[in-house]
Amino acid sequence: MTPAAVNAAYAVVALPLAGFVANLVLGRRLGEPKAGWVGTLAATGAFAAALVAWVGALGQPSASRSFDLKVFTWFPVAGLHVNVGLLVDPLSLTMALFVTGVSAAIHLYSIGYMHRDPGFDRFFVYLNLFLFSMAVLVMADNFLFSFLGWEGVGFCSYGLIGFWFQREVAAVAAKKAFVTNRAGDMGFLLAMFLLFAHFGSLNYSAVLGGLVGGHPTGLLAGAPGAVPGTTATAITLLLFLGAVGKSAQLPLYMWLPDAMEGPTPISALIHAATMVTAGVYLMARVAPLLHYAHATAWVVACVGVSTAFLAATIACAQDDIKKALAYSTISQLGYMFLAVGVGDYTDGVFHMLTHAFFKALLFLGAGAVIHALADRQDMKQMGGLARYLPVTAVTFGAAWLAISGIPPFAGFWSKDAILASAWEMNKVLWAIGALTAALTAYYMSRQFALVFTGRARWAEARPTPGGALAGAGAAFAEGEAGAGHAASGPGLPPPPHLEARPRDPSWVMAAPLVVLAIASVLGGGINFPAWHLDFLSRFLHPLFPATGAVASTATKWALSVVTTILSLGGLAFGLATWRTAEHPVLEPSFLRRAWYIDDTVSAAVSGPVQALADGLAYVMDRRLVDGFVNGVAGLLATSGRALRRVQNGYVRSYAFGLSVGVIALLAYVAFRVGS
Amino acid sequence: MTIFAGTAGPGCTISNLVTSEAKVSGLCTAKGSLSIPVEYRSIAPVLILGVAALVLLVLSATLPKRRYPGLWAGLTALAGIATTVDGIVQWANLDNPANTALTVGGQVLYDHFSAFFAILFGCATTLGAAISDSYLSREALDGPEPYVLMLACSAGAVLMAEAAGLITLFLGLEVLSISLYTMTAYHRRRAASGEAGLKYFILGSFSSAVFIYGAALVYGATGSTQYFEIFQFLTGTVVVHDGVLLAGMALLVAGLGFKVAAVPFHFWAPDVYQGAPTPFVGYMAAVAKAAGFAGLLRALMLALPTQVSSWRPAIWVLAVASVLVGSVMALVQADLKRLLAYSSISQAGYVLIGLQAGTQAGWSAASFYLFTYLFMVVGTFAVVGLTQGRGEVRNDLGSIRGLGQRNPWLAGGMLVLLLAQAGVPLTSGFLGKWLVISAVIGKGQYELALIGMVGAAIAAFAYLRVALLMYVPAAPTPARPGQPRGEGGGEPAVAPTGPGAPSGLAEVAGDLEALATAGLGATATAVALRAPSTARLRVPRATAAAIAVCVAFTVFAGVSTPVLSLAHSIGLTWSL
């Protein structure tokens, strides 16, 4: 790789760090909006650097695009040498490109979204720290350095979910996210211990090696059966536990819907596009190891597909615009794990990319809607917004079609490829996946219909004291409806809870929407399955072990037609049904309450677990541990006071003490004489 | 005749120049004449310091009688810098094996150990002079005399580190001690100062007598006072009746143990530290300790390594007693200088821990410890000298209260120094403790390592309390209803915290304050914690520079390795 590309790879990590430090030190002084521009500049610079590094890697032959750039030895302890270093290979470059790209767009959007927030500079401090951590996570050349980034993004996620920590819900949600993630992190840590115990190294290239012609190199390839199946299974299962926590899969998914308490750009960036995909990245990274662990592959596939289905059903009955998207994210992440589980790593990464585009767009669009309606999030109280927010509606629509799997939008290609691979592994996996695709199209259409079409429910009278005002609002809505195409009515009074009529956001927020919409429409082009346009597959190919059976072209066509019909069916049903807001039959309470899973867990935790924790804290810790510590302290203070009497200020007693010391020494040597 | 000298590589290489002359020990007298081969380069540090002292005296006698602000301190600091530079030059010269045969009639050793301690004492003199100037003019005590004493003291200290035999060691010891007695009593208008000087003198004479008696017994047992000859005698002879030798060794340990304030020879330290002029205490704590340990290391490692199984248990007991007694007693002190005195006793315990290991790792750890402790203790006492006010009116813990508001930079520096003494990572104090403890772990003495760590944990409370007090507001915060406060006269209570207790920043500050003030006797607390004025504390320029150097060095030596590698290349065995 050229020096420029190497430096660019460093810059991908260094620029966000520089932005973080700059905003940390100067953020308050810079204030709004300069702090935001500093952050955005850092993110954009990182994206540009990633592009340069990518171009540099493209200049190499496809089989040798892996570079381990060691910066320095982090800690050399006995047999453990951990470097701070970057691994530049197709996978890390792909990740870095989309992470920095989406991040740059969302940084820009945040300048508009966080306008007039008292914590404006703090927001960008976190945001840049997040981007730095994420870059470390995906570009580190060893497990431990990745883990640093892994924990860093976890911390930023905590800080940003609880960004408005004055609200108790937000603080609690942040805590929940952090604690749940810790449960997964334990798996990651244990996996690292096992890796070190077995391989004596934590370096990616050393342990996993590259893959030459589909055969692993590195320690894995040391000898036939260099890693016993059980060890590989244990390591990958533990890593998968970490991934389950980070990527909100069953059973550790509960934190993600709650995480929607954070500002919407955060939901878009961290809890949809980037951080939550870290688990998928990790599993793709250890693909060579996963190759030896069939049991884990099955577990991953099953967990993935059941999460996809379960979350999709829940998403069908959510009223909160962001909660619905959160469950949708969980569901889509399930698809990615399904891909990893069936050995189709490339399409897992492909779906990660397309999902990053359209899901970030959906969240940003939702943010624009929420902004326009003065922080209202209940979809049942929206409706008819397409007229007022044309840009938002069009871009949101593109994302909606993309996630629904309608050709030729981006989501179709990636989802279709995953389902085709699932078919080859197991028909049941495919069936559930296809059903989920239909559900996805349905709940997304429901969302689109509730928000952008139908009556303008947000303008209607609500049971509030100010009757006259509410009436005026209703009149306003009808007037608007009557005016039809004439959406602009500056003379009309705004609805009661709004300062002005809803409208599209300013350009800083709109530009990212447009960019992401283009990506959502055309994103499939990066891995088009015909005419040698499968760029991503060819780019990533040297990295992943060859999967077993590949579906024949005819099968693929047939499957595509079936899933597309399913998706279109879901889409049509959703759109047709949800032009009005009340369909209790379609929203049974077990779906509204998310299968009661969260409630059950809460009950369990607040019951026996809480009692245990109380016991440990107030009995064990306070009485026993503190009692012991305080007792020791008391003993020391008492003995100190007793010893003080010796120090009475008289030279004679000091001389006496000295003499005692000398005599004691002499007595000791007398005892030793001749020995 | 045996003339020996010089070092090369890690240990001392001995060139035995055996002549037909009769064996002469002590003063090297050639036949018929008194001709002593003198190589001035080997004693250059002593000469620089001694000549500087004389220059100061002559200048003060010849210059017109008026005040010369900064002149004496400046000259002293210059001499200190010259000594340091000379030590570095010596160190560099020692890389050349041709320079290792330099000596003064076999009475001094010219090796890395000497050079290391010459650098140490040079630094101590410079810093000591820098922090004394403003103190002495504040107390209207300025004049050349204290600086002459300081220079003489440093010369004695260097001599102790260079000594090749017990007699030279004793010579250095006395030069050092007598200067220190006078410096202790130097504050003429302060009764405590005179009293401390007298105590120090009486007890010091006592210990000097013990030391010289020990030297005599060792001479009686081995026929020499020169380290190398003692060593040769003991390696070549099986001493069946070793009572005299062991008694001599015990008395040597006791005499030098007094200088380094090891328990149970520490009784003088709190009283002297409390009474002596504060900047001198910083200087004394650094120099007397380092010199005493330099002598002890030389005597035990060079003369008596064969008796290691006899002296190790004795040093072990002294080390443990020093660490524990020093730490525990520091907890209950209400006087800042006394607290630091006990802390320095406990620090001496750590050096003893390294010493008793008797290994390369042990003595380099001890040397590193002494070198870094110099900067910590001088800096700390410089700060104390600033907060105590004119006439040393406030030496209690409360005098440092609110320093964070009165001068944040000074408080920050003090914080670093206190944390270093507590052994917090990223400071040289941590590295020093870590080195001594790893040295004894290398010997398999896990119990001693454990005691050392426990002692550090105990002492940490004393340091952290001072650190905390700096950031407790100088103006007393209103006590919460129903909770008597320490300074209110009642028994101080640690505020109860529980699930029901309100939380908030103010409350946390209150709790820290309660914690900082807890544990002192009620009456002592009442006086000791009254806050000083809130006026901004001005720091004289030279003192500020000295404190800055101390803090910077403490961090520098804690995060980088140059000092460490210096200490690692000190050799202390004869490689024959």
Side-chain angles (χ1 to χ4, degrees), chain A residues 641 644 647 649 651 654 668 674, chain B residues 199 242 267 271 310 332 519:
Chain A
R641 275 186 218 109
R644 260 174 122 173
Q647 196 79 29
V651 178
Y654 292 177
Y668 158 74
Chain B
K199 277 181 184 166
D242 57 354
F267 294 102
D271 290 23
S310 292
V332 292

Side-chain angles (χ1 to χ4, degrees), chain A residues 618 622 636-637 639-641 643-644 646-647 649-651 653-655 657-659 661-662 665-666 668-669 672-675, chain B residues 199 202-203 206 242-243 246-247 250-251 254 258 264-265 267 270-271 309-310 313-314 328-329 331-332 338 342 458 497 499 519:
Chain A
Y618 298 120
R622 179 145 320 155
L636 288 174
S639 50
R641 275 186 218 109
L643 274 173
R644 260 174 122 173
V646 183
Q647 196 79 29
Y650 290 112
V651 178
S653 38
Y654 292 177
L658 242 121
S659 315
V662 172
L665 269 183
L666 286 174
Y668 158 74
V669 296
R672 278 197 64 93
V673 163
S675 63
Chain B
K199 277 181 184 166
I202 294 172
L203 295 171
F206 185 72
D242 57 354
L246 290 183
L251 295 180
F258 175 86
F265 312 111
F267 294 102
D271 290 23
S309 59
S310 292
V328 170
M329 291 293 279
L331 295 185
V332 292
R338 282 185 88 86
Y342 282 109
I458 299 172
T497 52

Side-chain angles (χ1 to χ4, degrees), chain A residues 306-317:
Chain A
S306 17
T307 310
F309 177 73
L310 194 82
T313 57
I314 300 172
C316 293

Side-chain angles (χ1 to χ4, degrees), chain A residues 95-109:
Chain A
M95 293 296 293
L97 270 175
F98 100 82
V99 165
T100 52
V102 172
S103 186
I106 291 173
H107 270 76
L108 181 65
Y109 178 90

Side-chain angles (χ1 to χ4, degrees), chain B residues 170-553:
Chain B
F170 184 66
L171 185 67
L173 180 68
E174 284 305 287
V175 172
L176 169 112
S177 303
I178 292 167
S179 312
L180 284 181
Y181 304 150
T182 324
M183 285 167 75
T184 303
Y186 196 73
H187 202 311
R188 292 182 290 269
R189 286 178 298 284
R190 230 179 134 235
S193 177
E195 182 189 328
L198 190 63
K199 277 181 184 166
Y200 195 16
F201 173 63
I202 294 172
L203 295 171
S205 321
F206 185 72
S207 77
S208 290
V210 169
F211 175 85
I212 201 72
Y213 191 13
L217 289 180
V218 170
Y219 178 76
T222 62
S224 175
T225 57
Q226 297 296 96
Y227 298 147
F228 181 66
E229 288 165 15
I230 296 169
F231 171 74
Q232 273 202 322
F233 177 81
L234 291 176
T235 45
T237 321
V238 177
V239 188
V240 181
H241 302 290
D242 57 354
V244 175
L245 176 69
L246 290 183
M249 183 196 79
L251 295 180
L252 287 181
V253 168
L256 289 170
F258 175 86
K259 273 285 153 260
V260 304
V263 175
F265 312 111
H266 69 286
F267 294 102
W268 59 276
D271 290 23
V272 168
Y273 279 38
Q274 191 181 15
T278 310
F280 295 170
V281 181
Y283 170 81
M284 179 204 307
V287 169
K289 218 170 277 292
F293 273 116
L296 203 54
L297 277 165
R298 283 269 203 217
L300 294 181
M301 298 294 167
L302 292 184
L304 301 165
T306 49
Q307 309 299 311
V308 59
S309 59
S310 292
W311 56 254
R312 178 176 289 142
I315 303 287
W316 192 98
V317 172
L318 293 190
V320 168
S322 303
V323 165
L324 292 182
V325 170
S327 307
V328 170
M329 291 293 279
L331 295 185
V332 292
Q333 298 306 315
D335 184 289
L336 197 49
K337 284 165 82 178
R338 282 185 88 86
L339 187 152
L340 290 170
Y342 282 109
S343 117
S344 88
I345 290 168
S346 127
Q347 307 280 1
Y350 287 96
V351 186
L352 284 168
I353 289 179
L355 172 70
Q356 65 87 46
T359 56
Q360 158 84 39
W363 71 68
S364 39
S367 309
F368 178 82
Y369 206 105
L370 289 167
F371 198 93
T372 50
Y373 182 61
L374 148 71
F375 291 88
M376 293 177 223
V377 77
V378 170
T380 310
F381 275 103
V383 177
V384 174
L386 291 170
T387 56
Q388 63 191 177
R390 180 190 286 270
E392 296 205 20
V393 284
R394 297 282 314 258
N395 277 334
D396 52 81
L397 280 179
S399 67
I400 204 154
R401 201 171 146 172
L403 189 63
Q405 286 175 329
R406 296 177 66 197
N407 191 328
W409 287 98
L410 193 62
M414 182 71 164
L415 183 64
V416 172
L417 296 170
L418 287 168
L419 291 179
Q421 290 176 72
V424 171
L426 300 183
T427 64
S428 56
F430 167 76
L431 215 49
K433 283 198 170 63
W434 188 76
L435 286 174
V436 294
I437 284 173
S438 61
V440 297
I441 283 180
K443 290 290 295 179
Q445 295 172 306
Y446 296 103
E447 78 293 344
L448 191 54
L450 203 64
I451 292 170
M453 291 187 243
V454 168
I458 299 172
F461 178 76
Y463 298 119
L464 292 181
R465 177 161 68 183
V466 177
L468 213 52
L469 267 174
M470 293 196 298
Y471 293 98
V472 170
T477 51
R480 266 166 288 161
Q483 291 197 2
R485 259 288 147 64
E487 67 270 28
E491 185 69 24
V494 177
T497 52
S503 61
L505 283 176
E507 295 293 327
V508 171
D511 289 345
L512 292 180
E513 186 179 345
L515 190 64
T517 54
L520 293 169
T523 43
T525 318
V527 185
L529 292 170
R530 209 170 291 139
S533 77
T534 53
R536 190 179 161 78
L537 192 66
R538 217 184 57 77
V539 184
R541 208 172 297 148
T543 314
I547 295 172
V549 167
C550 292
V551 172
F553 181 86

